[in-house]
Amino acid sequence: MADLIVRNARITTLDRDHPEAQALAISGGLVEAVGDEATLMALATPGTRVIDAGGRRLVPGLNDSHIHLIRGGLNYNLELRWDGVRSLADAMALLREQVARTPAPQWVRVVGGFSEHQFVEKRLPTLEELNEAAPETPVFILHLYDRALLNRAALRAVGYGKETPDPPGGRIERDARGNPTGLLLASPNALILYATLAMGPRLPPEYQLNSTRHFMRELNRLGVTSVIDAGGGFQNYPEDYDIIQKLHADGELTVRIAYNLFTQKKGAEVADFERWTGMLTPRQGDDMMRHNGAGEMLVFSAADFEDFRMPRPELPAGMEGELESVVRLLAQKRWPFRIHATYDESISRVLDVYEKVNRDVPLDGLHWLIDHAETISERNIERVRALSGGIAIQHRMAYQGEYFAERYGRDAVRRTPPVRKMLELGVPVGAGTDATRVASYNPWVAMYWLVTGRTLGGLAMYGEDNVLEREEALRLWTHGSAWFSHEQERKGLLKPGYFADFTVLSSDFFQVPEASILDITSVLTVVGGKVVHGDGDFGPLAPQLPRPMPDWSPVNRFGGYQGGTVAQARAAFQGASHAHGDSCAMHGHGRTHASRHKVPTSDDTGFWGALGCLCYAF
């Protein structure tokens, strides 16, 4: 008997034995049956919920094998998204409007997810344009991992002046008098960008809970039902996981999460993993949230950041010994692991270490993997296969292909990464985004890149020998990614016994023109048989979220991924369930600039309140 039946659908199961169906029956959070409508409707009881899909395409839920959801969720409500915005003029219009809505001392932040090449103008804003748009409100704009733009107010907020030295691996651009201009450059690593961003105000815990819920719902809106979180800098375990653990304990996760732990301090990597392997067993957790091993940073000396505007970084001579100590520990503890490796030269040296460890402690069965691998060679793909590893790819080239081609040539860009060759050689491959900073979290941008081989700026990078058929791309985003969390027997296919995770699409992925892939969303997303997102006619089926906090959050006004023009985005967003007016729901005061209010004040209903209004985060 079925708890839920979805009928009148065009179902792509990705089950090679039964690839298509018209109806899907769910029981106990798992797929009970897939087949024709008449047969499955016989499983209905008076208590069965029946959903008419209206003839739409239904596919397995998407699974991002490399994303930074936990970090991204803590900050999602603070960030203005330029993801998908197709002109700089529209992007700056969003910025100006958000500046007018943002109270002091808060910042307006555009934290990655876009490329200057997606704009018709093919450029970033100038510092003069930022200062004109925001003379008093700090503005921080992160472009990929190569640079950040700060207006004068932001420079004052972080305290960068004439005497501020350049940090190791970064550069503060200066004018003729030695004063910072507002341009920060990763040269060659992005530490200066991270460290500067970390100086901004943070949300208090209750707002971080709200922010993370909205980020998960945004992923649901795009058809994502599972992710593997790749950790991140300034994301220590266990303290920086308190928010996501509370949401899990409260039953409020709407995305399945497998999380990896990312070492936090150069020189203390072994100590980090010795501590963590004593706290967690491999794959500890449940079907909604579980530990997934180590990485993507295993040792800092092995990281080769992918700023294609800069020359390839050479890893230090002592890297092998440091990496061996960590990998040997992880292999002995039977912890899966992943490592950030962009360039083939780095991958060769990493694999030398893995092969050495494997002779003493076999890696087979660990589901270890290389992340990114844009320039991996056929020989090294074979070495990965021989060690029973996998490769997680992301659509970073859709944002950086122009820079790569300018530095290394159009011929080299044809194989970045060589996805087709990976599949031909039988290596497990999973797809993801590496969001939220270096690329957008929108999986359909990644799907577009896989099937067209084009950047967001329109550059054709690949020939027919390195693009995928649409079903192949979808498989990498579902069953392919499941291997990377040891769930390939339970996730990514719509067949009996697998998780009832699926999405009903706004338009048919298999039939729309290539350019329209970018605009696909989900009208119905289901995780474990429970509706977690609905749009249009399916909207009433989904649970309502509290509106984004704080009240001035960019998410309240603009939502997340934009797409199209700002006018189109606003028109679509006006009907969203979390659209709202201009007043603070908590205290009832109008939303005006903080500088116009005295501080402190004893009036609890005033803007600041006795201890400060929680409409914004200190």
Side-chain angles (χ1 to χ4, degrees):
M1 299 295 103
D3 305 323
L4 169 67
I5 295 176
V6 181
R7 56 173 290 272
N8 189 22
R10 288 178 289 171
I11 301 174
T12 298
T13 68
L14 296 180
D15 177 3
R16 299 187 194 279
D17 294 330
H18 302 283
E20 296 181 353
Q22 295 78 46
L24 179 69
I26 310 303
S27 180
L30 303 177
V31 176
E32 176 73 19
V34 183
D36 66 89
E37 186 169 317
T39 301
L40 266 64
M41 287 303 296
L43 301 175
T45 69
T48 300
R49 170 185 277 185
V50 178
I51 297 176
D52 184 340
R56 293 184 179 274
R57 179 67 61 183
L58 185 156
V59 301
L62 305 184
N63 184 353
D64 192 323
S65 65
H66 184 126
I67 192 174
H68 299 274
L69 181 153
I70 294 172
R71 179 187 69 195
L74 299 179
N75 301 292
Y76 177 70
N77 282 0
L78 286 178
E79 296 173 358
L80 176 67
R81 308 305 310 178
W82 281 359
D83 305 35
V85 178
R86 295 173 189 174
S87 79
L88 179 60
D90 279 342
M92 290 300 291
L94 292 172
L95 181 75
R96 290 187 186 93
E97 187 168 343
Q98 187 57 39
V99 165
R101 302 177 66 250
T102 301
Q106 288 293 328
W107 300 9
V108 175
R109 315 172 206 215
V110 181
V111 186
F114 75 99
S115 166
E116 63 179 313
H117 297 289
Q118 78 191 44
F119 299 144
V120 294
E121 297 91 340
K122 305 298 182 186
R123 69 174 181 90
L124 294 173
T126 66
L127 292 168
E128 291 76 13
E129 287 169 332
L130 288 187
N131 286 313
E132 182 277 328
E136 301 296 334
T137 303
V139 172
F140 177 100
I141 297 176
L142 178 68
H143 181 254
L144 307 174
Y145 281 157
D146 64 21
R147 64 194 56 214
L149 306 178
L150 282 69
N151 66 346
R152 282 189 290 267
L155 287 174
R156 291 193 298 269
V158 300
Y160 289 173
K162 192 172 185 177
E163 305 305 320
T164 305
D166 287 350
R171 190 165 86 243
I172 301 172
E173 285 288 284
R174 303 171 192 274
D175 62 20
R177 297 182 179 181
N179 296 306
T181 64
L183 175 62
L184 308 182
L185 295 174
S187 182
N189 68 60
L191 182 59
I192 185 176
L193 311 182
Y194 304 150
T196 305
L197 178 60
M199 296 179 190
R202 300 181 64 182
L203 292 172
E206 67 173 301
Y207 285 26
Q208 291 178 339
L209 290 165
N210 176 280
S211 179
T212 301
R213 292 184 69 188
H214 277 277
F215 186 37
M216 289 189 294
R217 183 65 69 93
E218 170 74 350
L219 294 174
N220 298 151
R221 185 181 71 86
L222 296 167
V224 175
T225 57
S226 288
V227 304
I228 303 178
D229 185 276
F234 305 100
Q235 187 176 324
N236 203 16
Y237 184 87
E239 52 268 31
D240 291 323
Y241 289 71
D242 287 347
I243 296 297
I244 201 70
Q245 294 283 13
K246 177 169 174 50
L247 290 171
H248 179 222
D250 293 345
E252 292 180 339
L253 294 186
T254 60
V255 176
R256 299 186 194 272
I257 301 171
Y259 62 92
N260 286 71
L261 298 186
F262 181 119
T263 187
Q264 294 296 298
K265 186 175 181 182
K266 182 175 175 58
E269 296 96 335
V270 173
D272 273 343
F273 290 116
E274 283 180 338
R275 182 172 69 258
W276 292 336
T277 55
M279 297 169 66
L280 291 167
T281 57
R283 304 189 65 245
Q284 181 175 319
D286 59 29
D287 291 338
M288 285 304 298
M289 184 171 177
R290 67 172 69 253
H291 162 248
N292 197 50
E296 65 181 293
M297 187 75 78
L298 297 179
V299 293
F300 282 83
S301 57
D304 61 351
F305 289 101
E306 71 293 342
D307 181 358
F308 298 133
R309 283 180 162 175
M310 301 295 294
R312 176 181 63 83
E314 191 69 46
L315 302 184
M319 180 277 288
E320 282 83 354
E322 295 177 4
L323 182 60
E324 181 183 344
S325 296
V326 168
V327 172
R328 190 171 294 275
L329 168 67
L330 296 172
Q332 290 169 344
K333 297 289 187 178
R334 305 313 294 166
W335 265 43
F337 56 89
R338 63 195 307 157
I339 191 166
H340 170 115
T342 300
Y343 297 97
D344 190 57
E345 292 84 352
S346 305
I347 293 169
S348 291
R349 293 176 60 184
V350 165
L351 291 176
D352 289 344
V353 173
Y354 291 3
E355 288 168 347
K356 181 179 180 181
V357 171
N358 184 66
R359 287 193 286 269
D360 301 324
V361 188
L363 304 182
D364 188 27
L366 284 185
H367 289 213
W368 68 269
L369 63 123
I370 300 284
D371 273 311
H372 314 314
E374 273 85 1
T375 71
I376 191 170
S377 64
E378 183 172 339
R379 170 61 183 139
N380 278 338
I381 298 173
E382 292 170 342
R383 293 173 72 191
V384 170
R385 181 185 61 189
L387 290 172
S388 302
I391 302 173
I393 60 163
Q394 302 83 39
H395 64 318
R396 305 190 310 178
M397 291 300 295
Y399 294 81
Q400 301 189 66
E402 287 85 355
Y403 304 135
F404 189 97
E406 182 179 351
R407 178 168 292 278
Y408 298 108
R410 291 293 297 272
D411 185 61
V413 84
R414 292 172 62 86
R415 299 176 295 278
T416 50
V419 182
R420 172 65 65 194
K421 182 58 66 176
M422 296 173 190
L423 295 173
E424 289 175 354
L425 292 176
V427 173
V429 179
T433 61
D434 200 8
T436 57
R437 295 176 178 173
V438 72
S440 176
Y441 52 76
N442 188 337
W444 300 102
V445 178
M447 215 81 73
Y448 168 82
W449 164 72
L450 284 169
V451 303
T452 68
R454 292 183 177 273
T455 69
L456 286 179
L459 175 66
M461 294 182 288
Y462 314 142
E464 290 299 316
D465 61 339
N466 200 35
V467 294
L468 302 185
E469 298 295 332
R470 297 192 191 195
E471 184 173 313
E472 290 178 305
L474 180 63
R475 191 176 296 275
L476 293 192
W477 263 95
T478 51
H479 195 238
S481 291
W483 184 90
F484 296 85
S485 56
H486 292 251
E487 295 176 293
Q488 69 276 15
E489 301 299 327
R490 308 188 69 195
K491 185 184 289 186
L493 307 178
L494 294 176
K495 62 183 294 186
Y498 277 61
F499 291 140
D501 302 347
F502 59 88
T503 177
V504 179
L505 303 180
S506 60
S507 54
D508 193 336
F509 171 57
F510 295 103
Q511 295 185 5
V512 296
E514 287 181 344
S516 297
I517 295 173
L518 292 164
D519 298 321
I520 291 176
T521 60
S522 170
V523 296
L524 178 72
T525 305
V526 173
V527 176
K530 297 179 180 178
V531 176
V532 296
H533 162 75
D535 191 20
D537 292 342
F538 302 100
L541 302 178
Q544 294 294 306
L545 281 182
R547 87 182 171 191
M549 302 161 68
D551 187 65
W552 54 264
S553 165
V555 178
N556 259 326
R557 181 65 171 166
F558 306 115
Y561 183 90
Q562 298 289 330
T565 67
V566 169
Q568 290 169 334
R570 285 178 179 158
F573 191 69
Q574 284 175 355
S577 61
H578 48 293
H580 66 283
D582 288 341
S583 297
C584 169
M586 182 176 293
H587 296 96
H589 54 254
R591 186 178 62 239
T592 56
H593 201 279
S595 63
R596 301 194 181 111
H597 296 264
K598 293 180 179 180
V599 56
T601 176
S602 60
D603 179 7
D604 289 342
T605 64
F607 187 93
W608 293 95
L611 297 176
C613 176
L614 289 181
C615 293
Y616 80 94
F618 286 94

